[in-house]
Amino acid sequence: AQKVTQAQTEISVVEKEDVTLDCVYETRDTTYYLFWYKQPPSGELVFLIRRNSFDEQNEISGRYSWNFQKSTSSFNFTITASQVVDSAVYFCALSEGRQAGTALIFGKGTTLSVSS
Amino acid sequence: SAVISQKPSRDICQRGTSLTIQCQVDSQVTMMFWYRQQPGQSLTLIATANQGSEATYESGFVIDKFPISRPNLTFSTLTVSNLSPEDSSIYLCSVEGLAGGDTQYFGPGTRLTVL
């Protein structure tokens, strides 16, 4: 069965610190997609990244970077030089197969608090 | 980029009443979904809104409690019926198929409080 585990419930850092959010997934499919979403206090869910199971290349986007390792079934998210605006709940999600309408399976989320 | 809107953004309802939430996209999409996020929890899929046919519900969710409509490729409604305090949650619609892609994008959510 598919499952997404975000073991870190809450993380608190001070501005400019680097922080890594962990995500471990379980799936029996060989084709799947992994996602990260950000949910700021306003409640809206903001898409950050999508990765397919055949592409293990790490990705960097500004202060954000993602490390995908199939060997450990992990898809970790690092924020470099964190800022107060990064404070939010971050969700990792999985969708199996690649037919239209595949549901997203979400982890429980990690609440990141960045203080100035 | 496409705009996904939900109405209402929040509401406070009395026990036993119903609330209908609208989700509107400003471009046609292939798939629309409804999720529930209970306080402090993650998101759980309620159902897939199928255009022109009955919605596909996930285990634990039934049509009588959560009737869904999708009359066209840009609009869907979710009704939460016979409200109880346990229905207090954020309800989010998501869409897939924007610009031909298959990433799900989410609306801003509807925050429901049941007294």
Side-chain angles (χ1 to χ4, degrees):
Chain A
Q2 65 274 31
K3 185 179 178 181
V4 176
T5 301
Q6 295 179 253
Q8 304 150 308
T9 305
E10 295 183 16
I11 301 177
S12 295
V13 299
V14 178
E15 244 184 340
K16 300 183 182 177
E17 283 186 29
D18 299 346
V19 58
T20 295
L21 310 181
D22 298 334
C23 174
V24 174
Y25 62 92
E26 294 177 29
T27 178
R28 293 179 180 172
D29 276 10
T30 56
T31 302
Y32 53 90
Y33 282 76
L34 297 163
F35 303 80
W36 277 95
Y37 289 87
K38 173 183 179 180
Q39 188 175 42
S42 60
E44 186 173 356
L45 215 62
V46 179
F47 166 74
L48 295 178
I49 190 172
R50 183 185 78 169
R51 240 326 164 241
N52 74 54
S53 53
F54 300 108
D55 181 3
E56 285 192 74
Q57 191 171 11
N58 292 332
E59 182 156 337
I60 298 175
S61 176
R63 296 184 298 107
Y64 296 170
S65 63
W66 291 269
N67 184 318
F68 177 27
Q69 292 195 343
K70 290 178 73 172
S71 61
T72 56
S73 297
S74 64
F75 186 43
N76 297 336
F77 173 31
T78 297
I79 302 174
T80 303
S82 59
Q83 300 176 2
V84 173
V85 293
D86 296 327
S87 297
V89 182
Y90 291 86
F91 291 98
C92 181
L94 163 75
S95 70
E96 293 181 319
R98 206 34 354 227
Q99 297 177 356
T102 304
L104 290 174
I105 307 300
F106 283 86
K108 292 186 181 296
T110 297
T111 300
L112 174 64
S113 299
V114 182
S115 58
S116 57
Chain B
S1 59
V3 174
I4 307 168
S5 60
Q6 283 186 233
K7 290 182 181 179
S9 58
R10 58 177 63 228
D11 207 341
I12 301 173
C13 298
Q14 295 298 318
R15 184 194 299 259
T17 63
S18 298
L19 177 70
T20 296
I21 303 167
Q22 298 178 1
C23 180
Q24 177 78 55
V25 194
D26 65 358
S27 59
Q28 293 185 348
V29 293
T30 51
M31 309 296 296
M32 297 183 78
F33 306 88
W34 287 97
Y35 288 81
R36 181 178 72 182
Q37 185 179 22
Q38 294 176 301
Q41 303 297 313
S42 186
L43 285 80
T44 301
L45 180 66
I46 297 171
T48 302
N50 300 310
Q51 195 259 327
S53 64
E54 198 169 280
T56 305
Y57 289 85
E58 297 298 302
S59 176
F61 297 95
V62 296
I63 187 171
D64 289 346
K65 175 69 175 177
F66 299 99
I68 288 171
S69 77
R70 190 179 172 195
N72 56 51
L73 294 176
T74 63
F75 185 78
S76 177
T77 67
L78 166 73
T79 299
V80 189
S81 304
N82 190 23
L83 290 168
S84 68
E86 293 71 36
D87 295 319
S88 298
S89 299
I90 299 174
Y91 293 87
L92 298 104
C93 72
S94 74
V95 305
E96 185 178 301
L98 286 172
D102 51 14
T103 293
Q104 283 189 34
Y105 293 93
F106 286 79
T110 296
R111 193 178 296 267
L112 170 62
T113 301
V114 183
L115 302 178

